[in-house]
Amino acid sequence: MDKELTDKEKKILLKIARQAIVDYVTKGEALPEPREEKSLNQRNGCFVTIKQNGRLRGCIGNFQSERPLFKEVAEMAISSATRDPRFYPLGKEDLDNFSLEISVLSPLKKIDDIEEIEVGRHGIYLEKGFYRGVLLPQVATEHGWDRTTFLKQTCIKAGLPTHAWQSEDAEIYIFSAQIFSEQE
């Protein structure tokens, strides 16, 4: 992200995400209105997290996008609501009982030294062979993890043993995110 989103732009993206979910669940399609704001037309990766009763209900995203941010947010919101394999798709009965959080991502940065990971500031993306795992920056903070625990949990998310991050062929990337939610 070249510059921080304004509070107004954050509210617009949250509204776009919510409307996309409602439209998709009720009508089977969602077409967000074009936006004039330059920052909402940049091509940034993002994740959209859905919570229901304070618990995770869906979270899907991309690190890169070929679409403008406002369209990427709409698409990731729909995917989080209907395509996260960990949860059943949101139905009409769920539409009045969920909250949204959006994470707009910086580009990935490959690291060679885990000391570069700042818990609370960075998310981790780990690759080893065909395995991949990602945890957003806020996950470590929410769980009170230190750097090593954060790395171990990213390995678990990737389906790997907890020590896999120490392997020669493991690649570790960090990223930061501008995180905002409807709760703010």
Side-chain angles (χ1 to χ4, degrees), residues 57-72:
R57 182 60 177 75
C59 182
I60 290 185
N62 280 327
F63 284 101
Q64 297 174 320
S65 175
E66 298 302 316
R67 296 181 273 247
L69 180 59
F70 78 94
K71 286 185 178 182
E72 189 69 16

Side-chain angles (χ1 to χ4, degrees), residues 131-160:
Y131 296 91
R132 288 160 180 49
V134 62
L135 288 174
L136 296 171
Q138 60 268 40
V139 175
T141 308
E142 289 169 1
H143 293 284
W145 295 338
D146 61 15
R147 181 183 296 126
T148 304
T149 305
F150 196 18
L151 283 160
K152 288 178 177 179
Q153 291 296 322
T154 306
C155 289
I156 291 169
K157 181 84 185 280
L160 292 164

Side-chain angles (χ1 to χ4, degrees), residues 7-49:
D7 287 344
K8 181 181 177 188
E9 291 164 340
K10 292 175 188 177
K11 285 182 176 128
I12 290 167
L13 288 175
L14 287 162
K15 185 177 178 187
I16 287 169
R18 179 167 285 278
Q19 194 61 54
I21 291 169
V22 170
D23 286 352
Y24 191 84
V25 170
T26 59
K27 302 175 195 166
E29 68 176 359
L31 302 167
E33 299 270 328
R35 301 300 310 183
E36 297 296 319
E37 299 88 344
K38 183 181 177 199
S39 57
L40 301 187
N41 280 282
Q42 292 186 112
R43 286 165 170 47
N44 285 89
C46 69
F47 276 72
V48 176
T49 303

Side-chain angles (χ1 to χ4, degrees), residues 26 34 36 46 59 66 68 75 77 93 98 102 106 111 113 122 133 150 164-165 169 171 174-175 180:
T26 59
E36 297 296 319
C46 69
C59 182
E66 298 302 316
E75 189 58 40
E93 66 280 0
F98 71 91
I102 297 173
S106 71
I111 61 167
D113 183 357
H122 292 129
F150 196 18
W165 62 272
D169 62 339
E171 293 184 350
I174 57 174
F175 60 93
F180 49 97

Side-chain angles (χ1 to χ4, degrees), residues 81-152:
T82 63
R83 298 182 194 110
D84 188 325
R86 299 170 292 181
F87 304 97
Y88 67 90
L90 281 181
K92 290 178 184 171
E93 66 280 0
D94 298 306
L95 293 180
D96 60 355
N97 180 28
F98 71 91
S99 62
L100 294 170
E101 178 180 87
I102 297 173
S103 303
V104 178
L105 308 182
S106 71
L108 291 172
K109 177 189 172 201
K110 189 172 190 296
I111 61 167
D112 296 316
D113 183 357
I114 66 163
E115 293 297 318
E116 292 184 61
I117 300 168
E118 291 179 48
V119 173
R121 178 164 183 247
H122 292 129
I124 299 174
Y125 175 72
L126 182 136
E127 276 186 8
K128 183 176 180 339
F130 295 108
Y131 296 91
R132 288 160 180 49
V134 62
L135 288 174
L136 296 171
Q138 60 268 40
V139 175
T141 308
E142 289 169 1
H143 293 284
W145 295 338
D146 61 15
R147 181 183 296 126
T148 304
T149 305
F150 196 18
L151 283 160
K152 288 178 177 179

